[in-house]
Amino acid sequence: MKNLIAFCLLGLMTFQLQAQRKKKPNVLVIYTDDHRYTGVHALGGQAVLTPNLDDLAHNGITFTKAYLMGAFSGATCVPSRAMLLTGRNLFQLKGRGFDIPDTHTTMGEMFMKEGYYAYHVGKWHQDMKSLARSFNDGAKVSGKPAYLTDQFRMPYHDWEPNGNYKREHCYLLEYNDKGEVVSRPLTKDDKRGPTGTEKTGPHVSEVLADASVKFISEYKQKKPFFHYLAFPTPHDPRQAPKKYKDMYPEADIALPPSYMPQHPFDNGHIVLRDELLAEWPRTNEIAKQHLSDYYAIISHLDAQIGRVIKALKDSGQYENTIIVMAGDSGLAVGNHGLLGKQNIYDEDGIHIPFILSGGLVEEANKGRREDAFCYNYDILPTLCDMIGIKTPESASGKSLLPIINYEKEGVRDYTYHAYRQHQRAYRKGDYKLIEYVRAPDKDRKRGDIVSGSRVTQLFNVTKDPWETFNLADFPEYAERVAQMRNEMRQKAIELKDKSHDELVKVDFWEYYNTSN
């Protein structure tokens, strides 16, 4: 066993020396949207087909216990992206994460300071000033400043070095009578909603992959590049070309163990846009339809990621490129009676795929899986240590290089999660505690309301990864619940967990303490 470990360690040391001996390695970060851990076939063993993502896993290192820390917004992708880009935890962001202050060094700024050429393609969900300062150039900026909730009618904006992005400068890509892709301005008549089809115009995943392939294929500079490719898929609307939908007949879809027709209690955010995508209760037919759509858009996305990786190989740059693939959140798609990600169940909200791959991974490490706890905001300091550059002082994530180098089995012995003022979770060892409270809230239509339920859940997530059997009410687990509650409260104090929602300044712990 010692010889095996020594051999593996030697392989990683060779990788590090190889990266240092040549010019600094390129870095490609692929970030997907609402892509849960089991949304990669090689990771979760589900029916979804992802041959290109599987290949990244088979040729890289997968962190099987990677998580989103949580969110103070129903748009969980906002804080997720802010955490990824700054290496800061949820409670260190500005508010809900929509704005990145100048004092928070972004990943792009960090790489540019180290002599990299930084290039952005795709979704941006933070302020546009932070976008401008984080990259040298980019293409097909989407998500902001306009959005139509349609993957075939995505408004795009060309790169603006001064960050002056305006809706009136956005455009759509459509097919003309000859089947050619043409551009036209976005107008006030372009209504929101998934009305486009593959006959209307190119899918957003294809457009962004095109832009990425173009950048990689034409890149001739001596500087290494940092390329951030942010897909807005497989977020809803879960539209995909027909050939991908046909891969997943709805009648043949197997529902996961945590499927439920309805969530058993009010979790504090049970009524919002994501949960209104289908009627209640979530019948088998509804759940199968949504899961079929989810698998279809993932397989289509996978094909586009495959094109990007092929461009790296064809251009001769794959061998000197570190590839990071990660998702921004989990997604329920019928689990626990939910459709969205506004929760802190693992697959439904916080368990994400995270793969380190590329040509610099030595043979001894290909296909390796590490079950150490980590968050998405650990990616930034990990890349710094892998490349040998200084981690920004504003970052607080932990480098995973000691795990990669077999120096440590882990850098965290727990994870902590928060969702708005209603939900908190604490994971340690085999067990995960989730606590819910009933607390004040605001609703656009109903005004001031009170929502949520005082509920405790305890899961053995090693034996019950889909979180189907609540142990909290069994007497034999009372001591464990009490211990984990105490530890969770202590971690909340250490993390300075308090309301970070600028709109609803309600502290979870105020309502948790008064109900215990």
Side-chain angles (χ1 to χ4, degrees):
M1 177 60 72
K2 290 183 179 179
N3 289 337
L4 176 61
I5 293 176
F7 174 74
C8 294
L9 178 55
L10 178 61
L12 233 303
M13 289 173 65
T14 303
F15 151 60
Q16 289 177 277
L17 291 172
Q18 185 181 26
Q20 293 167 3
R21 187 167 56 245
K22 298 180 179 180
K23 68 176 184 179
K24 290 177 181 177
N26 303 313
V27 177
L28 167 62
V29 175
I30 301 172
Y31 213 50
T32 58
D33 199 318
D34 286 6
H35 196 171
R36 68 191 190 194
Y37 179 83
T38 54
V40 177
H41 176 78
L43 306 189
Q46 299 299 295
V48 61
L49 300 177
T50 55
N52 295 291
L53 291 172
D54 293 354
D55 190 62
L56 287 180
H58 296 327
N59 287 284
I61 304 171
T62 297
F63 287 85
T64 63
K65 293 179 180 175
Y67 296 97
L68 170 67
M69 194 177 211
F72 284 96
S73 165
T76 63
C77 53
V78 173
S80 178
R81 281 164 169 70
M83 284 184 272
L84 170 79
L85 295 168
T86 65
R88 296 171 67 86
N89 75 41
L90 177 66
F91 308 106
Q92 296 171 326
L93 303 179
K94 178 183 177 182
R96 294 178 291 168
F98 283 96
D99 297 325
I100 300 179
D102 293 344
T103 53
H104 298 179
T105 301
T106 67
M107 191 179 289
E109 286 180 296
M110 173 190 79
F111 278 115
M112 287 192 293
K113 183 179 179 181
E114 295 294 332
Y116 277 71
Y117 185 83
Y119 195 83
H120 167 87
V121 168
K123 179 171 179 174
W124 190 257
H125 220 323
Q126 272 65 47
D127 63 289
M128 309 315 281
K129 289 183 178 180
S130 61
L131 172 62
R133 76 172 197 262
S134 297
F135 300 92
N136 297 104
D137 201 354
K140 297 296 183 289
V141 177
S142 50
K144 282 186 172 183
Y147 186 60
L148 293 181
T149 321
D150 191 327
Q151 310 296 11
F152 289 103
R153 295 187 307 128
M154 178 66 69
Y156 303 103
H157 200 296
D158 290 331
W159 182 257
E160 289 287 352
N162 60 4
N164 187 23
Y165 290 84
K166 296 182 178 180
R167 180 184 173 88
E168 55 263 33
H169 294 160
C170 290
Y171 57 92
L172 300 179
L173 297 178
E174 299 178 336
Y175 295 129
N176 63 16
D177 294 340
K178 298 179 181 180
E180 301 167 328
V181 178
V182 296
S183 171
R184 73 161 175 85
L186 180 69
T187 71
K188 294 180 180 179
D189 295 329
D190 292 309
K191 305 301 182 185
R192 291 173 70 102
T195 59
T197 70
E198 60 188 299
K199 296 180 180 179
T200 306
H203 193 284
V204 60
S205 295
E206 299 166 7
V207 173
L208 300 187
D210 286 345
S212 180
V213 167
K214 184 176 187 297
F215 166 71
I216 292 169
S217 302
E218 297 178 357
Y219 191 75
K220 304 299 180 185
Q221 295 193 39
K222 292 183 179 180
K223 290 182 176 182
F225 65 72
F226 162 59
H227 178 21
Y228 178 52
L229 174 55
F231 287 100
T233 51
H235 191 288
D236 71 89
R238 291 181 273 276
Q239 302 158 287
K242 183 176 183 298
K243 82 171 196 175
Y244 291 94
K245 175 64 176 177
D246 289 346
M247 292 167 58
Y248 302 101
E250 294 175 8
D252 298 340
I253 295 293
L255 296 177
S258 59
Y259 159 73
M260 294 180 184
Q262 184 171 337
H263 196 262
F265 55 88
D266 176 7
N267 66 7
H269 217 184
I270 208 77
V271 179
L272 77 163
R273 193 201 67 86
D274 289 38
E275 298 303 335
L276 298 178
L277 294 175
E279 64 271 23
W280 302 87
R282 320 299 197 198
T283 63
N284 283 23
E285 291 73 23
I286 290 173
K288 288 184 176 185
Q289 177 226 313
H290 280 265
L291 203 51
S292 167
D293 293 344
Y294 189 52
Y295 287 171
I297 196 172
I298 289 176
S299 289
H300 177 249
L301 169 64
D302 177 82
Q304 311 317 310
I305 291 175
R307 293 173 52 220
V308 174
I309 305 305
K310 183 177 184 299
L312 271 178
K313 293 179 178 179
D314 290 347
S315 68
Q317 298 177 102
Y318 175 82
E319 295 303 324
N320 195 44
T321 299
I322 297 172
I323 301 171
V324 175
M325 181 274 153
D328 71 353
S329 72
L331 193 69
V333 204
N335 294 347
H336 299 99
L338 304 171
L339 289 179
K341 65 274 187 179
Q342 293 80 12
N343 63 81
I344 44 183
Y345 292 118
D346 268 23
E347 291 309 303
D348 308 18
I350 57 173
H351 195 190
I352 59 172
F354 171 28
I355 303 168
L356 282 172
S357 194
L360 289 169
V361 178
E362 290 294 322
E363 193 67 33
N365 291 291
K366 291 182 178 180
R368 183 176 156 194
R369 295 196 175 196
E370 287 292 340
D371 64 356
F373 291 138
C374 60
Y375 298 108
N376 69 335
Y377 69 90
D378 294 329
I379 292 174
L380 186 150
T382 301
L383 286 173
C384 288
D385 280 1
M386 289 177 70
I387 296 168
I389 63 178
K390 185 179 180 181
T391 301
E393 293 183 0
S394 58
S396 62
K398 295 179 180 292
S399 171
L400 305 176
L401 189 61
I403 299 170
I404 296 172
N405 281 350
Y406 293 97
E407 297 165 0
K408 294 182 178 180
E409 291 187 358
V411 294
R412 300 181 183 279
D413 60 5
Y414 74 93
T415 65
Y416 182 94
H417 307 277
Y419 182 68
R420 300 180 77 242
Q421 69 270 36
H422 293 103
Q423 306 174 32
R424 294 294 183 274
Y426 175 65
R427 166 79 186 272
K428 188 174 184 180
D430 295 334
Y431 291 90
K432 177 180 171 185
L433 177 74
I434 308 180
E435 297 279 24
Y436 303 81
V437 298
R438 185 166 176 79
D441 201 352
K442 290 184 181 293
D443 182 88
R444 290 181 180 179
K445 295 182 178 179
R446 295 178 290 167
D448 292 335
I449 61 171
V450 177
S451 60
S453 309
R454 182 64 193 96
V455 173
T456 298
Q457 293 175 320
L458 178 71
F459 299 107
N460 183 325
V461 285
T462 300
K463 295 180 178 179
D464 179 21
W466 294 90
E467 297 164 303
T468 63
F469 192 72
N470 184 11
L471 304 169
D473 294 329
F474 289 85
E476 57 266 39
Y477 290 95
E479 185 176 344
R480 183 174 295 275
V481 168
Q483 178 185 349
M484 293 190 74
R485 280 176 169 171
N486 289 335
E487 291 182 12
M488 182 170 73
R489 185 68 184 100
Q490 182 59 42
K491 300 305 180 187
I493 295 171
E494 293 174 10
L495 290 165
K496 298 180 181 179
D497 174 4
K498 59 181 180 180
S499 177
H500 277 60
D501 189 333
E502 305 98 320
L503 302 179
V504 184
K505 298 183 182 298
V506 176
D507 184 5
F508 167 91
W509 292 102
E510 176 185 348
Y511 291 86
Y512 179 77
N513 292 336
T514 58
S515 58
N516 278 292

